[in-house]
Amino acid sequence: MTKIEVNGALLAYDDTGSGTPVVLLHAGIADRRMWREQVGPLAARHRVIALDLRGYGDSELPPTPFAHHDDVAGLLDALDIPRAALVGCSFGGAVAIDTALAHPERVTALALLGTAASGHEWSEEANDLWDSLVGEVDPEDFAASAAGEVRFWVVGPGREPADVDPELLAFAREMDQRALAAELALSAVDVAELDPPAIGRLHELRMPVLVGAGGADVPDIRRLADRIAAEAPDATRLPDVPDAGHLLPLERPGPVNAALLDFLP
């Protein structure tokens, strides 16, 4: 792990391999460790940079305004990388899309796995699913909140916790507890959003885009993947990966790695 100053903050990252650069952007319930199954295979062909977004993992959070998408571009500047492919999961996918819209000249390709998108509004179905699977949780109880989020996102609505690898669930809960603490700290900082947001600008994504989701992820995520693939001009929609939830790269690395190696420039 290395730290580098980007826009006034020390950001943590792992830098592995050589070749065309690829930046990995983690989910909001995780940190850069969620890419542990991708770094080695991708580094055989690429320079792979797994970043902790500001406030998450080992990255710092100065009390100054910032934007995650500007941090990604700033990281490329700090590492003297003119352009890179971005691979994002969930919130990291939203940051990747925002970066591609705010700094299109810096992004060669986008791979989006179980992605979110800025400006997207969750359906009533998703809210009802949360109520049925998780219910009310004390937001100050990080352990209980992490358990609820892992039940909703990592297990998913169509599976039971017993259906999922217990080591994966334990690792996801541990990452999510750190992420919840990060989100609490981030709530006290002015985090700039892309304006206008990405959801109405998907047609502006002129680079190649790969979109995938887990077959056990919540329906909103799979529908959002369909929308991105339909509206981005050069997009490919992967078939949903069976028996995989929201942390698709961590749970099913085989098909994810194969798709990324085939797609990335």
Side-chain angles (χ1 to χ4, degrees):
M1 186 268 288
T2 305
K3 290 189 177 184
I4 194 168
E5 185 172 348
V6 174
N7 298 331
L10 285 175
L11 302 188
Y13 67 99
D14 299 319
D15 193 342
T16 311
S18 61
T20 52
V22 177
V23 179
L24 307 178
L25 301 171
H26 60 80
I29 61 172
D31 53 53
R32 74 184 193 282
R33 293 175 295 162
M34 70 159 284
W35 301 107
R36 64 187 185 183
E37 301 294 339
Q38 281 68 55
V39 170
L42 293 182
R45 301 184 187 177
H46 301 276
R47 180 182 179 185
V48 181
I49 299 157
L51 173 67
D52 275 337
L53 292 164
R54 188 184 300 216
Y56 290 89
D58 296 309
S59 288
E60 297 182 353
L61 183 65
T64 54
F66 77 101
H68 286 296
H69 51 271
D70 290 336
D71 274 358
V72 176
L75 176 71
L76 298 181
D77 288 338
L79 296 177
D80 197 25
I81 297 174
R83 306 176 76 211
L86 306 182
V87 180
C89 178
S90 188
F91 174 64
V95 173
I97 296 171
D98 286 355
T99 305
L101 292 170
H103 308 279
E105 73 286 353
R106 309 303 299 274
V107 180
T108 59
L110 285 176
L112 308 169
L113 304 166
T115 194
S118 61
H120 172 260
E121 295 185 4
W122 299 104
S123 69
E124 284 301 316
E125 177 189 7
N127 294 330
D128 291 342
L129 276 174
W130 178 272
D131 290 340
S132 65
L133 293 174
V134 181
E136 292 189 15
V137 178
D138 180 358
E140 296 183 1
D141 186 340
F142 287 168
S145 295
E149 290 196 344
V150 168
R151 175 64 185 91
F152 184 79
W153 291 112
V154 182
V155 177
R159 302 189 294 183
E160 295 297 325
D163 300 328
V164 183
D165 179 2
E167 190 278 333
L168 170 67
L169 296 181
F171 183 43
R173 285 192 294 268
E174 187 270 321
M175 286 195 295
D176 194 26
Q177 286 194 57
R178 292 185 72 189
L180 287 165
E183 289 173 358
L184 179 62
L186 284 160
S187 67
V189 178
D190 183 7
V191 184
E193 305 290 341
L194 187 70
D195 186 23
I199 196 63
R201 302 172 58 187
L202 300 172
H203 61 281
E204 297 179 31
L205 296 172
R206 299 298 175 181
M207 64 290 296
V209 178
L210 184 70
V211 192
D217 207 339
V218 298
D220 272 34
I221 291 293
R222 303 199 305 274
R223 286 193 290 264
L224 181 56
D226 291 339
R227 177 173 177 178
I228 294 169
E231 296 185 21
D234 188 11
T236 300
R237 175 70 159 94
L238 292 171
D240 288 345
V241 178
D243 195 27
H246 197 55
L247 294 184
L248 174 58
L250 190 58
E251 186 173 9
R252 296 287 178 259
V256 168
N257 293 350
L260 291 176
L261 286 168
D262 186 57
F263 170 72
L264 290 169

